[in-house]
Amino acid sequence: MNARSQVFELTVESKQLEEVVNSIFHTILFHRTTGKFHYKQEGAFLIGTVGVVETDCDFVDLTYVRCNSPTLDKNLRREVSAFKDVLRSTYVNAGLQSGQISLEFHQKKKNRWPFPDESIPWEVWTLKINVISLSNEQERQAYREKLGEILNAKIICIVEAMNRNDYIPKAPNQALLDTVFDTTCPDVQPFLFKISCQNSGPTNASVGAAVRKLLRDTLAL
């Protein structure tokens, strides 16, 4: 099975990085999470509710919604913080750096002993992040607003993708629940996912130049 894939490329200042990645990945996870399954008997179950939290960003003009799950939020923030640390550890050229972080949904295929279980991805979302440094507060404020517009457009794109009639794993019987869903959260039940990241090296100088041109055009309006 070929996994669906979607790639977004975004340019941020260092202090915006975590909010940007969290906003996109939380939006995706919100649509890839169910309430907890409560089985009455084999093949019969009730699905709990998923609470909703509105989150305001501090460094981007954006408010987004996420699952009301402290555990899921903590787990995601830990992974995103680790991604920022990967970039920070190799900062060069005045802190300009690029990298990518991926959110992969997968299901497990159990194999007989002694063979390990297989992980079969069915959907992958990748963010390519360019970190830049703006020269003054006027540029930062203008880009704070512009980045909010860009993220709103990406969130709409995500919602539209979720409304397509694409493959998602079917709810299994109780014995195989953990082959499709992450059952470790006490309050919600996301599809199995993993997050991976890598550093791609210095940000291309043309990226920063393109952002500054965008800002000049914006400020000239």
Side-chain angles (χ1 to χ4, degrees):
M1 179 179 64
N2 293 324
R4 297 187 301 276
S5 63
Q6 178 75 55
V7 179
F8 294 145
E9 185 165 0
L10 296 162
T11 300
V12 304
E13 283 207 290
S14 178
K15 64 183 180 181
Q16 297 171 322
L17 188 152
E18 289 177 276
E19 288 186 338
V20 166
V21 177
N22 281 324
S23 68
I24 295 295
F25 281 2
H26 261 310
T27 299
I28 296 166
L29 284 166
F30 180 74
H31 290 86
R32 291 290 182 244
T33 298
T34 73
K36 298 289 284 187
F37 284 18
H38 302 284
Y39 285 87
K40 292 185 173 181
Q41 57 189 30
E42 186 59 43
F45 56 87
L46 298 175
I47 302 177
T49 58
V50 177
V52 178
V53 175
E54 287 192 351
T55 302
D56 296 320
C57 296
D58 293 325
F59 303 111
V60 185
D61 283 357
L62 178 73
T63 299
Y64 64 93
V65 297
R66 63 172 177 82
C67 298
N68 186 10
S69 169
T71 301
L72 184 60
D73 183 49
K74 179 182 177 181
N75 291 345
L76 177 57
R77 289 179 184 275
R78 182 181 63 246
E79 296 288 347
V80 176
S81 178
F83 173 50
K84 186 174 183 178
D85 289 342
V86 167
L87 297 188
R88 184 186 292 128
S89 67
T90 52
Y91 272 178
V92 295
N93 191 21
L96 308 186
Q97 196 61 240
S98 62
Q100 67 180 45
I101 182 168
S102 296
L103 171 61
E104 175 191 289
F105 294 96
H106 61 276
Q107 59 190 113
K108 293 179 183 176
K109 179 182 178 183
K110 291 187 177 295
N111 288 322
R112 293 184 178 180
W113 186 88
F115 301 104
D117 294 345
E118 293 181 56
S119 177
I120 305 172
W122 52 273
E123 184 174 77
V124 183
W125 298 81
T126 299
L127 300 182
K128 293 184 176 181
I129 301 292
N130 300 302
V131 181
I132 61 167
S133 180
L134 298 174
S135 58
N136 58 63
E137 195 57 37
Q138 186 182 28
E139 286 187 348
R140 291 189 183 94
Q141 182 57 38
Y143 196 58
R144 171 193 175 103
E145 297 171 4
K146 190 65 180 178
L147 187 55
E149 295 174 6
I150 293 170
L151 290 175
N152 271 314
K154 300 302 184 189
I155 288 172
I156 291 172
C157 179
I158 291 167
V159 173
E160 289 174 346
M162 296 299 178
N163 287 330
R164 298 186 193 123
N165 189 26
D166 290 328
Y167 170 84
I168 59 173
K170 294 181 179 179
N173 58 41
Q174 187 172 8
L176 296 175
L177 190 65
D178 63 356
T179 66
V180 172
F181 293 102
D182 180 348
T183 58
T184 61
C185 292
D187 39 18
V188 294
Q189 190 168 274
F191 284 99
L192 283 172
F193 70 91
K194 68 178 180 180
I195 294 174
S196 58
C197 65
Q198 67 182 54
N199 173 47
S200 302
T203 296
N204 192 311
S206 64
V207 174
V211 169
R212 290 186 177 88
K213 182 180 184 304
L214 172 67
L215 292 177
R216 286 197 299 271
D217 294 344
T218 300
L219 294 170
L221 296 176

